[in-house]
Amino acid sequence: EARHMRKWSGLLCLLAASGAAGWMALAPPPTGGGLDAGMTIRVPELDAIARAGERIYAEQCRACHGDNASGSDRGPPLVHIIYGRAQLPDADFVLASRRGAKSRYWSFGDMPATVGLTEGEALRILAYVRSVQAANGVN
């Protein structure tokens, strides 16, 4: 009887710990705009496509997503694991940059469509953001 009780209590403890770890992993990120305080975004040397994307990003995205995709009080940082290639495939990034996206992780509200942004421009922005992400350990 005592042996079965220990077995079940151990299993319950394991389930509770797993649930807590799962909840922490699935919990939304902080609602602030930038990255961790004091974190500096490293911008690597960019190829021609990423440099063109940097210029388009400055015109179309920076007001909300901040300098070097670091986030602002109007939009989340794109140098974040949520927006890395493993979580957000390139095709989804391009689609969201053109058509907008529903808010899923942050409290900034939905991202509006970028009126007039062509697929080619979105692909250049993607090249820039992926370059900056890679330089900062976001894959």
Side-chain angles (χ1 to χ4, degrees), residues 42-55 68 124-133 135:
R42 182 183 168 304
V43 179
E45 187 166 329
L46 302 171
D47 65 21
I49 295 170
R51 276 195 312 273
E54 181 180 35
R55 287 189 296 275
N68 304 320
R124 288 175 182 87
I125 292 169
L126 174 68
Y128 166 66
V129 171
R130 292 294 192 224
S131 295
V132 174
Q133 288 175 335

Side-chain angles (χ1 to χ4, degrees), residues 22 29 33 56 115 120:
I56 300 164
V115 178

Side-chain angles (χ1 to χ4, degrees), residues 60 95-101 110-117:
Q60 301 289 337
L95 190 64
S97 67
R98 295 185 70 206
R99 296 187 183 172
D110 295 344
M111 182 178 127
T114 309
V115 178
L117 187 70

Side-chain angles (χ1 to χ4, degrees), residues 3-29:
R3 184 176 57 152
H4 290 291
M5 193 62 124
R6 281 192 303 259
K7 179 181 174 183
W8 283 108
S9 65
L11 182 59
L12 287 173
C13 287
L14 179 63
L15 286 172
S18 296
W23 171 253
M24 289 173 62
L26 295 175

Side-chain angles (χ1 to χ4, degrees), residues 77-96:
L78 298 177
V79 181
H80 191 285
I81 193 167
I82 289 173
Y83 303 110
R85 188 173 275 123
Q87 298 293 321
L88 183 65
D90 291 351
D92 293 344
F93 185 103
V94 169
L95 190 64

